mmCIF file of all heavy atoms in Angstrom:
data_model
loop_
_atom_site.group_PDB
_atom_site.id
_atom_site.type_symbol
_atom_site.label_atom_id
_atom_site.label_comp_id
_atom_site.label_asym_id
_atom_site.label_seq_id
_atom_site.Cartn_x
_atom_site.Cartn_y
_atom_site.Cartn_z
ATOM 1 N N MET U 1 -17.477 33.349 47.269
ATOM 2 C CA MET U 1 -17.925 32.836 48.553
ATOM 3 C C MET U 1 -17.787 33.947 49.596
ATOM 4 O O MET U 1 -16.799 34.666 49.633
ATOM 5 C CB MET U 1 -17.068 31.632 48.942
ATOM 6 C CG MET U 1 -17.545 30.955 50.181
ATOM 7 S SD MET U 1 -16.842 29.295 50.253
ATOM 8 C CE MET U 1 -15.925 29.404 51.744
ATOM 9 N N ALA U 2 -18.758 34.091 50.437
ATOM 10 C CA ALA U 2 -18.747 35.127 51.462
ATOM 11 C C ALA U 2 -17.712 34.814 52.534
ATOM 12 O O ALA U 2 -17.439 33.658 52.839
ATOM 13 C CB ALA U 2 -20.128 35.233 52.094
ATOM 14 N N HIS U 3 -17.150 35.889 53.075
ATOM 15 C CA HIS U 3 -16.157 35.710 54.134
ATOM 16 C C HIS U 3 -16.843 35.273 55.429
ATOM 17 O O HIS U 3 -17.892 35.790 55.790
ATOM 18 C CB HIS U 3 -15.397 37.010 54.369
ATOM 19 C CG HIS U 3 -14.357 36.873 55.417
ATOM 20 N ND1 HIS U 3 -14.607 37.178 56.735
ATOM 21 C CD2 HIS U 3 -13.083 36.434 55.364
ATOM 22 C CE1 HIS U 3 -13.517 36.932 57.437
ATOM 23 N NE2 HIS U 3 -12.577 36.485 56.633
ATOM 24 N N VAL U 4 -16.246 34.311 56.086
ATOM 25 C CA VAL U 4 -16.743 33.832 57.377
ATOM 26 C C VAL U 4 -15.750 34.315 58.426
ATOM 27 O O VAL U 4 -14.544 34.162 58.258
ATOM 28 C CB VAL U 4 -16.852 32.293 57.399
ATOM 29 C CG1 VAL U 4 -17.286 31.800 58.762
ATOM 30 C CG2 VAL U 4 -17.795 31.811 56.314
ATOM 31 N N SER U 5 -16.254 34.902 59.507
ATOM 32 C CA SER U 5 -15.354 35.424 60.534
ATOM 33 C C SER U 5 -14.569 34.280 61.177
ATOM 34 O O SER U 5 -15.038 33.141 61.237
ATOM 35 C CB SER U 5 -16.142 36.179 61.601
ATOM 36 O OG SER U 5 -16.791 35.278 62.472
ATOM 37 N N PRO U 6 -13.363 34.596 61.658
ATOM 38 C CA PRO U 6 -12.553 33.559 62.303
ATOM 39 C C PRO U 6 -13.265 32.899 63.489
ATOM 40 O O PRO U 6 -13.133 31.693 63.698
ATOM 41 C CB PRO U 6 -11.307 34.317 62.761
ATOM 42 C CG PRO U 6 -11.188 35.464 61.817
ATOM 43 C CD PRO U 6 -12.606 35.852 61.513
ATOM 44 N N VAL U 7 -14.027 33.663 64.232
ATOM 45 C CA VAL U 7 -14.740 33.094 65.382
ATOM 46 C C VAL U 7 -15.783 32.087 64.913
ATOM 47 O O VAL U 7 -15.894 30.981 65.465
ATOM 48 C CB VAL U 7 -15.395 34.210 66.234
ATOM 49 C CG1 VAL U 7 -16.282 33.626 67.316
ATOM 50 C CG2 VAL U 7 -14.326 35.113 66.836
ATOM 51 N N LYS U 8 -16.526 32.443 63.870
ATOM 52 C CA LYS U 8 -17.524 31.509 63.327
ATOM 53 C C LYS U 8 -16.841 30.253 62.789
ATOM 54 O O LYS U 8 -17.334 29.149 62.931
ATOM 55 C CB LYS U 8 -18.339 32.174 62.207
ATOM 56 C CG LYS U 8 -19.339 33.173 62.710
ATOM 57 C CD LYS U 8 -20.485 32.481 63.360
ATOM 58 C CE LYS U 8 -21.553 33.484 63.739
ATOM 59 N NZ LYS U 8 -22.545 32.923 64.621
ATOM 60 N N ARG U 9 -15.681 30.437 62.148
ATOM 61 C CA ARG U 9 -14.961 29.292 61.613
ATOM 62 C C ARG U 9 -14.502 28.373 62.752
ATOM 63 O O ARG U 9 -14.589 27.155 62.657
ATOM 64 C CB ARG U 9 -13.777 29.759 60.770
ATOM 65 C CG ARG U 9 -13.306 28.704 59.820
ATOM 66 C CD ARG U 9 -12.399 29.217 58.751
ATOM 67 N NE ARG U 9 -12.967 30.185 57.839
ATOM 68 C CZ ARG U 9 -13.780 29.895 56.822
ATOM 69 N NH1 ARG U 9 -14.143 28.665 56.599
ATOM 70 N NH2 ARG U 9 -14.217 30.848 56.027
ATOM 71 N N LEU U 10 -14.033 28.952 63.861
ATOM 72 C CA LEU U 10 -13.647 28.142 65.025
ATOM 73 C C LEU U 10 -14.840 27.383 65.583
ATOM 74 O O LEU U 10 -14.717 26.226 65.991
ATOM 75 C CB LEU U 10 -13.040 29.032 66.115
ATOM 76 C CG LEU U 10 -11.608 29.493 65.880
ATOM 77 C CD1 LEU U 10 -11.215 30.511 66.938
ATOM 78 C CD2 LEU U 10 -10.655 28.311 65.888
ATOM 79 N N GLU U 11 -15.998 28.025 65.598
ATOM 80 C CA GLU U 11 -17.209 27.354 66.073
ATOM 81 C C GLU U 11 -17.554 26.173 65.161
ATOM 82 O O GLU U 11 -17.965 25.118 65.644
ATOM 83 C CB GLU U 11 -18.375 28.343 66.137
ATOM 84 C CG GLU U 11 -18.221 29.375 67.240
ATOM 85 C CD GLU U 11 -19.245 30.491 67.165
ATOM 86 O OE1 GLU U 11 -20.028 30.564 66.187
ATOM 87 O OE2 GLU U 11 -19.252 31.317 68.096
ATOM 88 N N ARG U 12 -17.381 26.352 63.855
ATOM 89 C CA ARG U 12 -17.649 25.261 62.918
ATOM 90 C C ARG U 12 -16.673 24.106 63.139
ATOM 91 O O ARG U 12 -17.067 22.934 63.093
ATOM 92 C CB ARG U 12 -17.559 25.763 61.481
ATOM 93 C CG ARG U 12 -18.765 26.593 61.087
ATOM 94 C CD ARG U 12 -18.543 27.413 59.866
ATOM 95 N NE ARG U 12 -18.555 26.679 58.615
ATOM 96 C CZ ARG U 12 -18.514 27.268 57.431
ATOM 97 N NH1 ARG U 12 -18.469 28.570 57.341
ATOM 98 N NH2 ARG U 12 -18.525 26.554 56.339
ATOM 99 N N ILE U 13 -15.408 24.440 63.364
ATOM 100 C CA ILE U 13 -14.402 23.404 63.618
ATOM 101 C C ILE U 13 -14.773 22.624 64.870
ATOM 102 O O ILE U 13 -14.722 21.384 64.888
ATOM 103 C CB ILE U 13 -12.994 24.025 63.738
ATOM 104 C CG1 ILE U 13 -12.552 24.591 62.385
ATOM 105 C CG2 ILE U 13 -11.989 22.995 64.250
ATOM 106 C CD1 ILE U 13 -11.339 25.504 62.451
ATOM 107 N N ALA U 14 -15.168 23.337 65.925
ATOM 108 C CA ALA U 14 -15.555 22.671 67.173
ATOM 109 C C ALA U 14 -16.750 21.751 66.938
ATOM 110 O O ALA U 14 -16.788 20.632 67.463
ATOM 111 C CB ALA U 14 -15.873 23.702 68.248
ATOM 112 N N GLN U 15 -17.708 22.198 66.136
ATOM 113 C CA GLN U 15 -18.876 21.370 65.842
ATOM 114 C C GLN U 15 -18.472 20.125 65.051
ATOM 115 O O GLN U 15 -18.971 19.026 65.326
ATOM 116 C CB GLN U 15 -19.930 22.167 65.069
ATOM 117 C CG GLN U 15 -21.202 21.379 64.795
ATOM 118 C CD GLN U 15 -21.886 20.907 66.057
ATOM 119 O OE1 GLN U 15 -22.021 21.657 67.013
ATOM 120 N NE2 GLN U 15 -22.310 19.655 66.080
ATOM 121 N N PHE U 16 -17.572 20.277 64.090
ATOM 122 C CA PHE U 16 -17.080 19.114 63.342
ATOM 123 C C PHE U 16 -16.435 18.105 64.290
ATOM 124 O O PHE U 16 -16.650 16.894 64.175
ATOM 125 C CB PHE U 16 -16.056 19.527 62.282
ATOM 126 C CG PHE U 16 -16.655 20.076 61.006
ATOM 127 C CD1 PHE U 16 -16.157 21.238 60.438
ATOM 128 C CD2 PHE U 16 -17.686 19.427 60.351
ATOM 129 C CE1 PHE U 16 -16.682 21.746 59.259
ATOM 130 C CE2 PHE U 16 -18.222 19.925 59.175
ATOM 131 C CZ PHE U 16 -17.718 21.091 58.628
ATOM 132 N N LEU U 17 -15.650 18.595 65.242
ATOM 133 C CA LEU U 17 -14.980 17.685 66.186
ATOM 134 C C LEU U 17 -15.988 16.976 67.088
ATOM 135 O O LEU U 17 -15.835 15.781 67.358
ATOM 136 C CB LEU U 17 -13.953 18.451 67.013
ATOM 137 C CG LEU U 17 -12.767 19.016 66.213
ATOM 138 C CD1 LEU U 17 -11.866 19.832 67.118
ATOM 139 C CD2 LEU U 17 -12.000 17.917 65.520
ATOM 140 N N ARG U 18 -17.010 17.697 67.544
ATOM 141 C CA ARG U 18 -18.055 17.049 68.357
ATOM 142 C C ARG U 18 -18.782 15.983 67.546
ATOM 143 O O ARG U 18 -19.051 14.880 68.041
ATOM 144 C CB ARG U 18 -19.045 18.090 68.887
ATOM 145 C CG ARG U 18 -18.512 18.946 70.017
ATOM 146 C CD ARG U 18 -19.603 19.774 70.658
ATOM 147 N NE ARG U 18 -20.101 20.798 69.765
ATOM 148 C CZ ARG U 18 -19.600 22.033 69.634
ATOM 149 N NH1 ARG U 18 -18.556 22.391 70.357
ATOM 150 N NH2 ARG U 18 -20.128 22.896 68.806
ATOM 151 N N THR U 19 -19.078 16.318 66.303
ATOM 152 C CA THR U 19 -19.780 15.366 65.432
ATOM 153 C C THR U 19 -18.921 14.132 65.175
ATOM 154 O O THR U 19 -19.415 12.998 65.242
ATOM 155 C CB THR U 19 -20.163 16.043 64.098
ATOM 156 O OG1 THR U 19 -21.003 17.170 64.384
ATOM 157 C CG2 THR U 19 -20.887 15.081 63.176
ATOM 158 N N ALA U 20 -17.641 14.337 64.896
ATOM 159 C CA ALA U 20 -16.743 13.204 64.642
ATOM 160 C C ALA U 20 -16.641 12.310 65.880
ATOM 161 O O ALA U 20 -16.633 11.078 65.755
ATOM 162 C CB ALA U 20 -15.362 13.704 64.230
ATOM 163 N N THR U 21 -16.579 12.918 67.049
ATOM 164 C CA THR U 21 -16.516 12.140 68.288
ATOM 165 C C THR U 21 -17.767 11.269 68.425
ATOM 166 O O THR U 21 -17.679 10.074 68.736
ATOM 167 C CB THR U 21 -16.384 13.068 69.505
ATOM 168 O OG1 THR U 21 -15.187 13.838 69.360
ATOM 169 C CG2 THR U 21 -16.340 12.288 70.803
ATOM 170 N N ARG U 22 -18.927 11.853 68.152
ATOM 171 C CA ARG U 22 -20.177 11.094 68.225
ATOM 172 C C ARG U 22 -20.189 9.973 67.193
ATOM 173 O O ARG U 22 -20.611 8.850 67.477
ATOM 174 C CB ARG U 22 -21.376 12.031 68.012
ATOM 175 C CG ARG U 22 -22.713 11.336 68.129
ATOM 176 C CD ARG U 22 -23.898 12.277 67.998
ATOM 177 N NE ARG U 22 -23.761 13.320 67.015
ATOM 178 C CZ ARG U 22 -23.924 13.174 65.693
ATOM 179 N NH1 ARG U 22 -24.219 11.985 65.188
ATOM 180 N NH2 ARG U 22 -23.796 14.189 64.879
ATOM 181 N N GLN U 23 -19.703 10.267 65.990
ATOM 182 C CA GLN U 23 -19.684 9.248 64.938
ATOM 183 C C GLN U 23 -18.763 8.087 65.304
ATOM 184 O O GLN U 23 -19.066 6.934 65.004
ATOM 185 C CB GLN U 23 -19.260 9.881 63.610
ATOM 186 C CG GLN U 23 -20.324 10.803 63.058
ATOM 187 C CD GLN U 23 -19.833 11.660 61.912
ATOM 188 O OE1 GLN U 23 -18.655 11.982 61.817
ATOM 189 N NE2 GLN U 23 -20.755 12.058 61.047
ATOM 190 N N ILE U 24 -17.655 8.380 65.965
ATOM 191 C CA ILE U 24 -16.761 7.316 66.423
ATOM 192 C C ILE U 24 -17.476 6.462 67.469
ATOM 193 O O ILE U 24 -17.430 5.232 67.431
ATOM 194 C CB ILE U 24 -15.444 7.899 66.970
ATOM 195 C CG1 ILE U 24 -14.626 8.490 65.824
ATOM 196 C CG2 ILE U 24 -14.646 6.843 67.726
ATOM 197 C CD1 ILE U 24 -13.473 9.353 66.266
ATOM 198 N N GLN U 25 -18.162 7.121 68.395
ATOM 199 C CA GLN U 25 -18.894 6.396 69.432
ATOM 200 C C GLN U 25 -20.005 5.542 68.838
ATOM 201 O O GLN U 25 -20.338 4.480 69.372
ATOM 202 C CB GLN U 25 -19.470 7.375 70.458
ATOM 203 C CG GLN U 25 -18.405 8.048 71.294
ATOM 204 C CD GLN U 25 -18.942 9.205 72.118
ATOM 205 O OE1 GLN U 25 -20.007 9.759 71.838
ATOM 206 N NE2 GLN U 25 -18.187 9.588 73.138
ATOM 207 N N GLU U 26 -20.579 5.997 67.735
ATOM 208 C CA GLU U 26 -21.654 5.249 67.066
ATOM 209 C C GLU U 26 -21.095 4.202 66.100
ATOM 210 O O GLU U 26 -21.846 3.583 65.354
ATOM 211 C CB GLU U 26 -22.559 6.226 66.307
ATOM 212 C CG GLU U 26 -23.346 7.137 67.217
ATOM 213 C CD GLU U 26 -24.098 8.217 66.457
ATOM 214 O OE1 GLU U 26 -23.873 8.383 65.229
ATOM 215 O OE2 GLU U 26 -24.901 8.914 67.096
ATOM 216 N N ASN U 27 -19.771 4.047 66.105
ATOM 217 C CA ASN U 27 -19.105 3.039 65.281
ATOM 218 C C ASN U 27 -19.321 3.283 63.786
ATOM 219 O O ASN U 27 -19.592 2.353 63.024
ATOM 220 C CB ASN U 27 -19.545 1.625 65.679
ATOM 221 C CG ASN U 27 -18.514 0.594 65.277
ATOM 222 O OD1 ASN U 27 -17.348 0.908 65.090
ATOM 223 N ND2 ASN U 27 -18.957 -0.646 65.138
ATOM 224 N N THR U 28 -19.203 4.547 63.384
ATOM 225 C CA THR U 28 -19.265 4.897 61.959
ATOM 226 C C THR U 28 -17.972 5.643 61.594
ATOM 227 O O THR U 28 -17.984 6.846 61.353
ATOM 228 C CB THR U 28 -20.503 5.755 61.647
ATOM 229 O OG1 THR U 28 -20.512 6.891 62.513
ATOM 230 C CG2 THR U 28 -21.788 4.976 61.814
ATOM 231 N N PRO U 29 -16.849 4.907 61.556
ATOM 232 C CA PRO U 29 -15.556 5.555 61.337
ATOM 233 C C PRO U 29 -15.419 6.234 59.973
ATOM 234 O O PRO U 29 -14.722 7.235 59.858
ATOM 235 C CB PRO U 29 -14.547 4.420 61.489
ATOM 236 C CG PRO U 29 -15.326 3.180 61.250
ATOM 237 C CD PRO U 29 -16.718 3.465 61.718
ATOM 238 N N ASP U 30 -16.081 5.716 58.950
ATOM 239 C CA ASP U 30 -15.991 6.354 57.634
ATOM 240 C C ASP U 30 -16.575 7.765 57.663
ATOM 241 O O ASP U 30 -16.000 8.702 57.109
ATOM 242 C CB ASP U 30 -16.696 5.518 56.569
ATOM 243 C CG ASP U 30 -15.985 4.199 56.300
ATOM 244 O OD1 ASP U 30 -14.786 4.102 56.626
ATOM 245 O OD2 ASP U 30 -16.630 3.281 55.777
ATOM 246 N N LYS U 31 -17.720 7.903 58.344
ATOM 247 C CA LYS U 31 -18.333 9.226 58.484
ATOM 248 C C LYS U 31 -17.436 10.130 59.327
ATOM 249 O O LYS U 31 -17.287 11.315 59.035
ATOM 250 C CB LYS U 31 -19.710 9.124 59.131
ATOM 251 C CG LYS U 31 -20.772 8.539 58.232
ATOM 252 C CD LYS U 31 -22.109 8.534 58.945
ATOM 253 C CE LYS U 31 -23.183 7.911 58.118
ATOM 254 N NZ LYS U 31 -24.468 7.883 58.833
ATOM 255 N N ALA U 32 -16.849 9.569 60.374
ATOM 256 C CA ALA U 32 -15.972 10.356 61.251
ATOM 257 C C ALA U 32 -14.758 10.863 60.480
ATOM 258 O O ALA U 32 -14.347 12.023 60.653
ATOM 259 C CB ALA U 32 -15.539 9.525 62.454
ATOM 260 N N LEU U 33 -14.190 10.037 59.634
ATOM 261 C CA LEU U 33 -13.038 10.467 58.835
ATOM 262 C C LEU U 33 -13.404 11.606 57.893
ATOM 263 O O LEU U 33 -12.638 12.556 57.720
ATOM 264 C CB LEU U 33 -12.460 9.288 58.046
ATOM 265 C CG LEU U 33 -11.677 8.265 58.862
ATOM 266 C CD1 LEU U 33 -11.286 7.081 57.985
ATOM 267 C CD2 LEU U 33 -10.444 8.903 59.481
ATOM 268 N N GLN U 34 -14.576 11.535 57.280
ATOM 269 C CA GLN U 34 -15.021 12.605 56.393
ATOM 270 C C GLN U 34 -15.246 13.894 57.189
ATOM 271 O O GLN U 34 -14.876 14.980 56.741
ATOM 272 C CB GLN U 34 -16.301 12.212 55.654
ATOM 273 C CG GLN U 34 -16.792 13.280 54.699
ATOM 274 C CD GLN U 34 -15.763 13.663 53.652
ATOM 275 O OE1 GLN U 34 -15.191 12.812 52.992
ATOM 276 N NE2 GLN U 34 -15.513 14.943 53.499
ATOM 277 N N THR U 35 -15.826 13.763 58.358
ATOM 278 C CA THR U 35 -16.065 14.934 59.199
ATOM 279 C C THR U 35 -14.748 15.566 59.637
ATOM 280 O O THR U 35 -14.593 16.796 59.637
ATOM 281 C CB THR U 35 -16.910 14.543 60.435
ATOM 282 O OG1 THR U 35 -18.145 13.969 59.975
ATOM 283 C CG2 THR U 35 -17.212 15.734 61.297
ATOM 284 N N LEU U 36 -13.774 14.733 59.987
ATOM 285 C CA LEU U 36 -12.457 15.252 60.358
ATOM 286 C C LEU U 36 -11.769 15.913 59.167
ATOM 287 O O LEU U 36 -11.056 16.907 59.332
ATOM 288 C CB LEU U 36 -11.590 14.146 60.947
ATOM 289 C CG LEU U 36 -12.039 13.637 62.320
ATOM 290 C CD1 LEU U 36 -11.231 12.412 62.718
ATOM 291 C CD2 LEU U 36 -11.927 14.731 63.369
ATOM 292 N N ALA U 37 -11.988 15.394 57.979
ATOM 293 C CA ALA U 37 -11.441 16.029 56.774
ATOM 294 C C ALA U 37 -12.057 17.417 56.584
ATOM 295 O O ALA U 37 -11.367 18.374 56.210
ATOM 296 C CB ALA U 37 -11.689 15.154 55.550
ATOM 297 N N ASN U 38 -13.352 17.532 56.851
ATOM 298 C CA ASN U 38 -14.014 18.838 56.773
ATOM 299 C C ASN U 38 -13.405 19.807 57.787
ATOM 300 O O ASN U 38 -13.173 20.977 57.476
ATOM 301 C CB ASN U 38 -15.517 18.701 57.015
ATOM 302 C CG ASN U 38 -16.223 17.963 55.901
ATOM 303 O OD1 ASN U 38 -15.728 17.858 54.793
ATOM 304 N ND2 ASN U 38 -17.392 17.422 56.202
ATOM 305 N N ALA U 39 -13.155 19.318 58.995
ATOM 306 C CA ALA U 39 -12.547 20.156 60.026
ATOM 307 C C ALA U 39 -11.148 20.593 59.592
ATOM 308 O O ALA U 39 -10.762 21.754 59.787
ATOM 309 C CB ALA U 39 -12.482 19.408 61.356
ATOM 310 N N THR U 40 -10.403 19.694 58.990
ATOM 311 C CA THR U 40 -9.060 20.014 58.508
ATOM 312 C C THR U 40 -9.109 21.116 57.458
ATOM 313 O O THR U 40 -8.297 22.050 57.480
ATOM 314 C CB THR U 40 -8.384 18.753 57.919
ATOM 315 O OG1 THR U 40 -8.303 17.761 58.943
ATOM 316 C CG2 THR U 40 -7.002 19.060 57.388
ATOM 317 N N ASN U 41 -10.066 21.039 56.552
ATOM 318 C CA ASN U 41 -10.219 22.076 55.532
ATOM 319 C C ASN U 41 -10.523 23.428 56.167
ATOM 320 O O ASN U 41 -9.993 24.458 55.739
ATOM 321 C CB ASN U 41 -11.306 21.700 54.533
ATOM 322 C CG ASN U 41 -10.894 20.553 53.648
ATOM 323 O OD1 ASN U 41 -9.713 20.316 53.432
ATOM 324 N ND2 ASN U 41 -11.870 19.827 53.131
ATOM 325 N N GLU U 42 -11.366 23.440 57.182
ATOM 326 C CA GLU U 42 -11.682 24.692 57.879
ATOM 327 C C GLU U 42 -10.437 25.273 58.553
ATOM 328 O O GLU U 42 -10.220 26.479 58.538
ATOM 329 C CB GLU U 42 -12.784 24.471 58.915
ATOM 330 C CG GLU U 42 -14.147 24.199 58.326
ATOM 331 C CD GLU U 42 -14.768 25.416 57.669
ATOM 332 O OE1 GLU U 42 -14.566 26.548 58.141
ATOM 333 O OE2 GLU U 42 -15.471 25.225 56.657
ATOM 334 N N VAL U 43 -9.619 24.410 59.150
ATOM 335 C CA VAL U 43 -8.387 24.866 59.799
ATOM 336 C C VAL U 43 -7.454 25.478 58.757
ATOM 337 O O VAL U 43 -6.863 26.542 58.992
ATOM 338 C CB VAL U 43 -7.693 23.712 60.559
ATOM 339 C CG1 VAL U 43 -6.301 24.120 61.012
ATOM 340 C CG2 VAL U 43 -8.531 23.283 61.747
ATOM 341 N N LYS U 44 -7.332 24.853 57.607
ATOM 342 C CA LYS U 44 -6.471 25.374 56.547
ATOM 343 C C LYS U 44 -6.934 26.753 56.092
ATOM 344 O O LYS U 44 -6.119 27.658 55.875
ATOM 345 C CB LYS U 44 -6.442 24.408 55.359
ATOM 346 C CG LYS U 44 -5.667 23.139 55.636
ATOM 347 C CD LYS U 44 -5.725 22.198 54.441
ATOM 348 C CE LYS U 44 -5.005 20.893 54.733
ATOM 349 N NZ LYS U 44 -5.126 19.936 53.627
ATOM 350 N N ILE U 45 -8.237 26.922 55.962
ATOM 351 C CA ILE U 45 -8.788 28.224 55.582
ATOM 352 C C ILE U 45 -8.507 29.244 56.685
ATOM 353 O O ILE U 45 -8.120 30.384 56.414
ATOM 354 C CB ILE U 45 -10.301 28.115 55.291
ATOM 355 C CG1 ILE U 45 -10.532 27.265 54.040
ATOM 356 C CG2 ILE U 45 -10.927 29.489 55.133
ATOM 357 C CD1 ILE U 45 -11.973 26.860 53.825
ATOM 358 N N LEU U 46 -8.700 28.840 57.921
ATOM 359 C CA LEU U 46 -8.476 29.735 59.059
ATOM 360 C C LEU U 46 -7.030 30.209 59.108
ATOM 361 O O LEU U 46 -6.762 31.384 59.359
ATOM 362 C CB LEU U 46 -8.851 29.018 60.358
ATOM 363 C CG LEU U 46 -8.829 29.837 61.637
ATOM 364 C CD1 LEU U 46 -9.876 30.934 61.589
ATOM 365 C CD2 LEU U 46 -9.053 28.947 62.831
ATOM 366 N N ILE U 47 -6.092 29.322 58.834
ATOM 367 C CA ILE U 47 -4.671 29.676 58.859
ATOM 368 C C ILE U 47 -4.352 30.726 57.794
ATOM 369 O O ILE U 47 -3.563 31.641 58.027
ATOM 370 C CB ILE U 47 -3.802 28.417 58.656
ATOM 371 C CG1 ILE U 47 -3.883 27.527 59.892
ATOM 372 C CG2 ILE U 47 -2.353 28.774 58.352
ATOM 373 C CD1 ILE U 47 -3.289 26.143 59.691
ATOM 374 N N LYS U 48 -4.978 30.619 56.641
ATOM 375 C CA LYS U 48 -4.711 31.538 55.534
ATOM 376 C C LYS U 48 -5.431 32.879 55.695
ATOM 377 O O LYS U 48 -5.079 33.845 55.028
ATOM 378 C CB LYS U 48 -5.135 30.901 54.211
ATOM 379 C CG LYS U 48 -4.280 29.721 53.817
ATOM 380 C CD LYS U 48 -4.774 29.118 52.525
ATOM 381 C CE LYS U 48 -3.973 27.880 52.174
ATOM 382 N NZ LYS U 48 -4.483 27.232 50.957
ATOM 383 N N ASP U 49 -6.421 32.958 56.570
ATOM 384 C CA ASP U 49 -7.231 34.165 56.730
ATOM 385 C C ASP U 49 -6.430 35.249 57.464
ATOM 386 O O ASP U 49 -6.014 35.042 58.604
ATOM 387 C CB ASP U 49 -8.497 33.828 57.512
ATOM 388 C CG ASP U 49 -9.483 34.977 57.571
ATOM 389 O OD1 ASP U 49 -9.097 36.124 57.249
ATOM 390 O OD2 ASP U 49 -10.642 34.742 57.940
ATOM 391 N N PRO U 50 -6.216 36.393 56.823
ATOM 392 C CA PRO U 50 -5.448 37.458 57.479
ATOM 393 C C PRO U 50 -6.125 37.996 58.743
ATOM 394 O O PRO U 50 -5.467 38.550 59.614
ATOM 395 C CB PRO U 50 -5.335 38.539 56.411
ATOM 396 C CG PRO U 50 -6.397 38.241 55.418
ATOM 397 C CD PRO U 50 -6.670 36.763 55.496
ATOM 398 N N LYS U 51 -7.427 37.822 58.864
ATOM 399 C CA LYS U 51 -8.143 38.317 60.045
ATOM 400 C C LYS U 51 -7.973 37.401 61.247
ATOM 401 O O LYS U 51 -8.384 37.751 62.342
ATOM 402 C CB LYS U 51 -9.632 38.505 59.726
ATOM 403 C CG LYS U 51 -9.878 39.607 58.736
ATOM 404 C CD LYS U 51 -11.344 39.892 58.604
ATOM 405 C CE LYS U 51 -11.539 41.075 57.669
ATOM 406 N NZ LYS U 51 -12.907 41.560 57.679
ATOM 407 N N THR U 52 -7.391 36.233 61.065
ATOM 408 C CA THR U 52 -7.201 35.291 62.166
ATOM 409 C C THR U 52 -6.330 35.903 63.263
ATOM 410 O O THR U 52 -6.536 35.656 64.442
ATOM 411 C CB THR U 52 -6.586 33.971 61.666
ATOM 412 O OG1 THR U 52 -7.477 33.393 60.713
ATOM 413 C CG2 THR U 52 -6.369 32.992 62.794
ATOM 414 N N GLY U 53 -5.384 36.734 62.881
ATOM 415 C CA GLY U 53 -4.525 37.406 63.852
ATOM 416 C C GLY U 53 -5.290 38.266 64.824
ATOM 417 O O GLY U 53 -4.840 38.528 65.941
ATOM 418 N N GLU U 54 -6.469 38.702 64.438
ATOM 419 C CA GLU U 54 -7.303 39.534 65.302
ATOM 420 C C GLU U 54 -7.817 38.765 66.513
ATOM 421 O O GLU U 54 -8.223 39.355 67.491
ATOM 422 C CB GLU U 54 -8.485 40.099 64.515
ATOM 423 C CG GLU U 54 -8.069 41.043 63.394
ATOM 424 C CD GLU U 54 -9.230 41.477 62.533
ATOM 425 O OE1 GLU U 54 -10.395 41.189 62.890
ATOM 426 O OE2 GLU U 54 -8.973 42.106 61.486
ATOM 427 N N LEU U 55 -7.811 37.435 66.447
ATOM 428 C CA LEU U 55 -8.309 36.631 67.555
ATOM 429 C C LEU U 55 -7.446 36.790 68.818
ATOM 430 O O LEU U 55 -7.949 36.707 69.923
ATOM 431 C CB LEU U 55 -8.355 35.151 67.181
ATOM 432 C CG LEU U 55 -9.398 34.744 66.158
ATOM 433 C CD1 LEU U 55 -9.225 33.277 65.798
ATOM 434 C CD2 LEU U 55 -10.794 34.989 66.665
ATOM 435 N N SER U 56 -6.161 37.036 68.626
ATOM 436 C CA SER U 56 -5.266 37.132 69.776
ATOM 437 C C SER U 56 -5.332 38.501 70.449
ATOM 438 O O SER U 56 -4.770 38.701 71.515
ATOM 439 C CB SER U 56 -3.819 36.832 69.353
ATOM 440 O OG SER U 56 -3.418 37.758 68.371
ATOM 441 N N SER U 57 -6.007 39.454 69.831
ATOM 442 C CA SER U 57 -6.100 40.802 70.405
ATOM 443 C C SER U 57 -7.063 40.853 71.563
ATOM 444 O O SER U 57 -8.010 40.188 71.655
ATOM 445 C CB SER U 57 -6.570 41.786 69.348
ATOM 446 O OG SER U 57 -5.748 41.737 68.219
#
């Protein structure tokens, strides 16, 4: 799998959160839970990425 930059990964996480918020508003909690699970997976990957430290520079 190709490496995704930490900034792109943060953008994906933000998009997942926006989507989950919309899904909650549309009363589709099952979809929202799956979307939040996807966001959680992205966060876990981001934490393990050694390049994540570069974000604070």
Side-chain angles (χ1 to χ4, degrees):
M1 186 162 119
H3 181 267
V4 177
S5 77
V7 173
K8 286 287 186 193
R9 200 165 297 282
L10 283 172
E11 290 170 354
R12 285 163 75 173
I13 293 166
Q15 183 60 44
F16 280 133
L17 295 176
R18 286 190 292 272
T19 301
T21 300
R22 182 177 39 79
Q23 290 168 332
I24 291 167
Q25 291 169 340
E26 292 172 350
N27 203 22
T28 54
D30 292 340
K31 288 182 182 179
L33 286 174
Q34 181 57 50
T35 302
L36 291 172
N38 292 340
T40 300
N41 290 335
E42 290 289 326
V43 170
K44 288 178 183 176
I45 293 168
L46 186 64
I47 290 169
K48 292 178 184 177
D49 187 346
K51 293 188 176 190
T52 300
E54 296 174 9
L55 290 175
S56 60
S57 305

